[in-house]
Amino acid sequence: MGTLRLGVNIDHVATLRQARYATMPDSKNAEPDPLVAASLCERAGASGITAHLRADRRHMQDRDLERLRANIMTKLNLEMGNTPEILSFALRLQPDEVCLVPEKREEITTEGGLDLVRHRNDLAPTIKRLHAAGIRVSLFIDPERAQVEVASQLEVEMVELHTGALANAFTERFERQELERLGDAARRAANFGLQVNAGHGINYRNIVLIHQIPHLAELNIGHSIVARALIVGFENAVREMLALMENYPA
Ligand code: PXP
């Protein structure tokens, strides 16, 4: 049995704060505080904290990332689109890891994976600069052979397989098909020596399906944990998810 590590994406703690305080970022009443949530996640056993600094700053703000960097005790994984502005922020921030994601202004959350085949020439220099700064790099990709191959050629440490289609599957047939795609991509990535992570849309119900994907090292889970935390508190929400991740067959 392997251990599957949990990175908690706490963007939506900031989403809730911004819903009320976007125009008053310095208000002493601005809450909830993502850093408090991060500390509770760590205390409950999360292996890392993930946050996405979007170009439109709809949830996390620069200052949130700076405070997380200074205070979290596990590791900080910064999700980011490949733009010069966010790249220079990342190089200043020095997160432990960066996960490069596609970013569209109109989307509610990250929709598809990065198209590495199309964007490899734009990604290569960014990956080089992150590596030169000592930051480990992950690429968020759809579970497709061509994407895994280019990820390996780009010499990143990790891929994060997009589990959104599996999470939203509404027939068993489609579920099986997605699990096959994810399994195939995970095996290929592991064969290339890449660390294999997964994320998007994972919740307390569909986590059972995730156990069927081989070679996983880490899951990044955001929405479902933050939503559950509203009901049972952050520590309980994280502990409940960790319990459901136990006994991963590897
Ligand atoms: N992984 C990546 C690359 C993401 O962009 C997101 C969403 O920000 C997640 C994981 C978390 O997804 P969810 O909020 O659906 O758990």
Side-chain angles (χ1 to χ4, degrees), residues 9 11 79 101 109-110 140 160 199-201 220-223:
N9 179 318
D11 290 345
E79 278 181 15
V101 300
T109 178
T110 317
F140 183 53
E160 181 169 325
H200 219 282
N220 277 306
I221 308 182
H223 184 95

Side-chain angles (χ1 to χ4, degrees), residues 108-161:
I108 292 171
T109 178
T110 317
E111 279 167 2
L114 267 178
D115 187 348
L116 305 186
V117 179
R118 215 167 132 202
H119 297 295
R120 67 193 295 161
N121 293 340
D122 305 326
L123 290 163
T126 296
I127 294 165
K128 256 204 189 103
R129 291 186 69 191
L130 291 166
H131 278 163
I135 301 167
R136 301 178 79 229
V137 181
S138 179
L139 300 173
F140 183 53
I141 55 170
D142 290 328
E144 290 165 7
R145 288 179 179 196
Q147 302 296 341
V148 175
E149 256 154 53
V150 179
S152 153
Q153 288 158 10
L154 285 166
E155 297 183 346
V156 290
E157 287 77 11
M158 304 164 278
V159 285
E160 181 169 325
L161 300 179

